[in-house]
Amino acid sequence: MMEPPTPANESQRLDSLKKLNLLDTPIEERFERITRMLKRSLGVEIASFVLLDSDRQFFKSIQGLNSTETPRKDSFCAHLIASDDDSLYVGDAKKDPRFADNPLVTGAPGISFYAGCPVRSPDGQRIGALCAIDGKARDITEEELQMLKDFASMVETELRTETMKDAQQRLISELDQANRIALIDSMTRIWNRAGITELMKRECSEAARRRTAMGVVMCDIDHFKKVNDTHGHPVGDEVIREVAHRLLSALRTEDAIGRVGGEEFLIVLPNCAPESLFATVERIRAKLVAEPVATAAGELPITMSFGALSVVPEKAAEIDPLVKKADDALYKAKHGGRNRTEVAA
């Protein structure tokens, strides 16, 4: 296997990457949307936005593969970043001497086709790549290659627009790599219980200071035990990941979501007035149940129940009573027939 060379400007490139504060952070809908569109548009099995760190490639967004990172020495994208080319296309990696014995070719995910375009930071450094991958060898047309370049430009536009704002962005900027990882749910790659709790404290403090209302939403998957009992835990894990992605896609950029239990999620909605809370949560629920979830066991219809409240916090640190009220409303939604929203008084 031919290992990728190191770019001459590696130190500057890594400095630019680290300044973006994207490594080891939760998935974001702005990038998830682009990789979803790329996967559908090119009809490939995998589409990803890769950040090339010193010794690994970190998947800031990936569709079609449940992975967070792989070694840099095995990375196709690392070959692209080290060159001056505006794209890299490999029609059949199994026949390409650079990649034929690459572990990502000989083992999972079994790459045959690869096409990638570099992604540049706002200061012009090649900090990563947008790539399309398939297990079958294939050609790429000029139109498809241009489409890939256009999607890469969309990623670069997002990098110039800091849309993970306020409490989330401040929290990320304050943490080192180890502490970031400790606040992210490894299965869904959204915030875990500790992460969303910290964010809720910050949003609660801000809402108390500004005297503005914030929404707190507890939700969980209906009849989830039946999914695990019938189809097994790997399928249940697929359902949880897809539900997390759908919930994320239904939220605003300033909203935050975390997985707080097996199939239970907590959502924080800054600046959400009581009069708009029900409609907001119902919109989220409707998006979630619009289509069945595709799994290894086939398509499974999924519904969720929601409990919510909107409140102007009196004291910044008292978040447990708010979560308890939202959880009580969720309990009412469950006992009221499920697949519905209950708003706490």
Side-chain angles (χ1 to χ4, degrees):
M1 182 184 77
M2 182 185 297
E3 291 195 12
T6 301
N9 64 335
E10 180 70 354
S11 60
Q12 297 97 320
R13 194 190 68 76
L14 289 174
D15 284 345
S16 294
L17 172 60
K18 293 187 185 336
K19 285 176 183 176
L20 289 172
N21 280 326
L22 290 175
L23 291 170
D24 302 301
T25 58
I27 55 174
E28 298 179 56
E29 177 57 17
R30 55 177 176 155
F31 300 125
E32 293 287 291
R33 184 183 304 116
I34 295 171
T35 53
R36 282 199 306 267
M37 290 191 297
L38 175 60
K39 183 175 182 289
R40 287 196 301 265
S41 299
L42 266 63
V44 292
E45 296 172 353
I46 300 169
S48 67
F49 167 34
V50 172
L51 296 170
L52 203 69
D53 201 359
S54 56
D55 59 356
R56 60 173 176 154
Q57 57 176 2
F58 172 73
F59 301 124
K60 177 59 179 171
S61 176
I62 187 165
Q63 309 294 330
L65 184 67
N66 182 30
S67 182
T68 303
E69 61 183 58
T70 58
R72 176 169 169 169
K73 64 182 180 60
D74 301 333
S75 170
F76 285 53
C77 297
H79 288 266
L80 170 61
I81 298 306
S83 73
D84 294 326
D85 299 331
D86 62 359
S87 64
L88 173 63
Y89 157 61
V90 180
D92 187 352
K94 296 177 176 65
K95 296 180 180 179
D96 190 309
R98 294 171 297 176
F99 306 109
D101 57 349
N102 186 301
L104 302 180
V105 176
T106 58
I111 297 174
S112 287
F113 167 83
Y114 170 92
C117 287
V119 170
R120 298 170 179 82
S121 62
D123 62 359
Q125 297 289 342
R126 293 183 168 210
I127 49 92
L130 185 70
C131 56
I133 294 169
D134 206 276
K136 296 176 182 158
R138 54 173 283 185
D139 294 324
I140 188 168
T141 66
E142 286 296 325
E143 182 180 4
E144 289 173 327
L145 186 57
Q146 185 57 54
M147 194 180 302
L148 179 60
K149 292 177 181 178
D150 290 343
F151 282 130
S153 294
M154 291 169 64
V155 173
E156 292 177 348
T157 298
E158 292 297 337
L159 294 179
R160 293 192 294 270
T161 308
E162 188 177 81
T163 57
M164 185 182 272
K165 296 179 180 176
D166 304 325
Q168 297 190 71
Q169 187 60 44
R170 290 195 298 273
L171 176 59
I172 287 170
S173 65
E174 292 169 11
L175 299 173
D176 59 20
Q177 179 184 359
N179 285 320
R180 286 182 188 177
I181 294 173
L183 296 183
I184 298 172
D185 178 55
S186 60
M187 180 188 294
T188 61
R189 296 185 61 190
I190 60 175
W191 298 108
N192 61 18
R193 178 184 287 273
I196 194 66
T197 299
E198 177 62 29
L199 282 168
M200 186 174 172
K201 288 178 181 177
R202 292 172 181 236
E203 291 292 1
C204 196
S205 176
E206 186 69 9
R209 185 179 69 82
R210 293 177 177 269
R211 305 303 300 155
T212 56
M214 61 177 283
V216 180
V217 183
M218 291 292 295
C219 55
D220 73 5
I221 304 170
D222 296 328
H223 303 295
F224 183 71
K225 184 177 183 299
K226 185 177 179 181
V227 174
N228 278 336
D229 291 347
T230 304
H231 304 289
H233 288 275
V235 170
D237 292 349
E238 288 185 71
V239 171
I240 289 174
R241 280 191 289 269
E242 176 60 20
V243 165
H245 290 178
R246 291 189 188 186
L247 290 172
L248 180 68
S249 71
L251 301 179
R252 304 168 300 177
T253 56
E254 62 265 37
D255 300 333
I257 179 173
R259 179 175 172 232
V260 295
E263 71 273 26
E264 193 169 40
F265 300 84
L266 170 62
I267 300 171
V268 180
L269 306 171
N271 300 306
C272 183
E275 57 268 23
S276 62
L277 177 65
F278 181 79
T280 297
V281 179
E282 275 292 284
R283 176 181 56 78
I284 296 170
R285 187 187 64 80
K287 184 161 186 175
L288 180 92
V289 303
E291 296 179 358
V293 174
T295 73
E299 293 191 339
L300 303 179
I302 296 297
T303 63
M304 289 191 78
S305 300
F306 292 77
L309 79 153
S310 176
V311 63
V312 179
E314 292 295 333
K315 295 181 180 179
E318 292 188 355
I319 67 169
D320 289 344
L322 303 183
V323 174
K324 175 70 165 56
K325 287 184 179 180
D327 204 36
D328 289 345
L330 171 60
Y331 184 82
K332 282 187 69 175
K334 288 285 191 183
H335 284 262
R338 293 184 169 85
N339 192 25
R340 58 192 294 270
T341 298
E342 186 74 33
V343 174

